[in-house]
Amino acid sequence: MSSTVTAPDAPRLLFSDLDGSLLDHDTYAWSPAAAWLTRLASLGVPVIPVTSKTRSELLGLRRELGLEASPFVAENGAVVGLPMTWRHASHSADADGLVVHTLGIDIGFIRQRLAVWRERLGAYFTPMSEMSLERLIEVTGLTESQARLARMREGSEPLIWEDSEEKLEAFHQALKGDGLRSVRGGRFWHVTGEADKGDAVIWLIARFAAMRGVRPLTLALGDGPNDVRMLEAVDSAVVIPARHGLAVRPNQSALYVSRAVGPVGWAEGVTHWWGNEGVAPLEPAAPGGRSHE
């Protein structure tokens, strides 16, 4: 957590993991968090997705969630997308109205090194790029169109590890020599460059402070080991329990662990930190809601 003093009335930024946090792990529903999303939008508080999802997946999802005015972080920190209000006038936008900032390593290099280390270590794992579309749908619960978007990687490669813990450690060490790292998500291990969710969040906070002339008050919410650095990079954080049972222990003094899971736990966490600070508290909604299709 930053030691910089932030004024109590400073502008706010909310950074959020998606799968298992703002979105239900199985159904991808988000309606239990809808009231808070509406309230934060009315207050001008950007809700910034920070996710392992691809940029292609996020384009439609941001429209559904009403987050098109907010930046986003894709592929665990490898890709940052900036909307119009977050970019300099001299920066030209792409066809989606975004300036894309790349913090990661080219996907071609990552896949090449994965092939090398699989052969040298004699390790068994399956990268997403080698999965059939049917297998990917089975593993993730995505629709066919969503699964196709999930395969459009730019700076990270998810994989399913199918070998021993001993070889996994050797794999981690081998990747380090290539300037790569592997982080655990809810379903996959994700192989990326040295940039992670925390680096991208720090970069966005600094950009906001430079544009506005004031450091924002920041909150982050997540449920997986790949969220730890993000949770440590902000003023306050929420760990949302997840069914994967993996340890999520950020070095964060202002930490709240929600009782509920998924988007209900997400709403609970936002209410805990910000519900009595200029935002009327909300009761978490009942589980459920529509999935993204």
Side-chain angles (χ1 to χ4, degrees):
M1 184 177 71
S2 172
S3 59
T4 303
V5 176
T6 304
D9 59 348
R12 302 182 184 198
L13 300 179
L14 188 153
F15 299 92
S16 180
D17 174 53
L18 293 183
D19 293 358
S21 298
L22 181 55
L23 307 180
D24 182 89
H25 183 271
D26 295 318
T27 67
Y28 302 102
W30 53 273
S31 60
W36 258 116
L37 291 176
T38 300
R39 186 67 57 82
L40 293 168
S42 70
L43 293 169
V45 176
V47 175
I48 301 171
V50 184
T51 176
S52 59
K53 290 184 181 296
T54 64
R55 171 163 49 133
S56 297
E57 289 179 277
L58 282 171
L59 292 177
L61 186 55
R62 288 167 69 239
R63 285 193 294 271
E64 291 190 51
L65 292 167
L67 304 181
E68 288 183 282
S70 296
F72 63 81
V73 176
E75 298 193 46
N76 286 307
V79 178
V80 178
L82 299 174
M84 180 175 60
T85 55
W86 280 69
R87 66 177 189 254
H88 296 301
S90 59
H91 292 168
S92 58
D94 64 12
D96 299 305
L98 299 166
V99 169
V100 177
H101 183 75
T102 302
L103 299 176
I105 291 177
D106 180 72
I107 188 62
F109 176 78
I110 294 173
R111 288 173 177 163
Q112 178 189 54
R113 298 312 295 171
L114 286 178
V116 167
W117 289 117
R118 180 163 54 186
E119 181 177 353
R120 288 185 184 177
L121 296 172
Y124 292 93
F125 59 82
T126 304
M128 181 184 284
S129 58
E130 297 179 10
M131 288 182 184
S132 67
L133 194 61
E134 293 75 15
R135 177 75 196 287
L136 182 57
I137 291 169
E138 178 187 352
V139 169
T140 61
L142 296 170
T143 65
E144 180 178 341
S145 60
Q146 290 170 332
R148 292 184 185 279
L149 295 175
R151 297 172 78 170
M152 299 175 68
R153 321 288 314 173
E154 298 175 81
S156 70
E157 180 69 14
L159 59 85
I160 294 179
W161 186 257
E162 299 160 318
D163 215 314
S164 66
E165 289 296 316
E166 182 180 2
K167 279 194 178 176
L168 179 60
E169 182 56 34
F171 179 67
H172 293 330
Q173 295 303 317
L175 292 176
K176 284 183 181 180
D178 289 329
L180 301 174
R181 69 169 72 182
S182 49
V183 294
R184 185 69 184 267
R187 294 180 175 89
F188 298 94
W189 282 94
H190 298 264
V191 178
T192 70
E194 291 295 339
D196 59 22
K197 287 187 176 186
D199 294 316
V201 165
I202 290 168
W203 187 85
L204 281 169
I205 292 171
R207 186 176 187 86
F208 183 92
M211 292 170 55
R212 297 289 188 90
V214 59
R215 187 186 182 281
L217 182 67
T218 54
L219 172 66
L221 306 94
D223 77 318
N226 59 333
D227 296 317
V228 168
R229 283 266 292 127
M230 171 181 72
L231 298 172
E232 293 175 342
V234 293
D235 298 305
S236 304
V238 176
V239 169
I240 300 169
R243 287 184 302 175
H244 54 59
L246 301 171
V248 182
R249 301 190 182 98
N251 181 18
Q252 168 63 267
S253 58
L255 180 67
Y256 178 76
V257 179
S258 70
R259 293 163 296 177
V261 300
V264 179
W266 189 95
E268 176 191 334
V270 179
T271 299
H272 173 82
W273 285 118
W274 287 358
N276 295 315
E277 296 183 19
V279 184
L282 298 173
E283 291 297 324
R290 63 190 181 90
S291 61
H292 296 289
E293 302 189 350

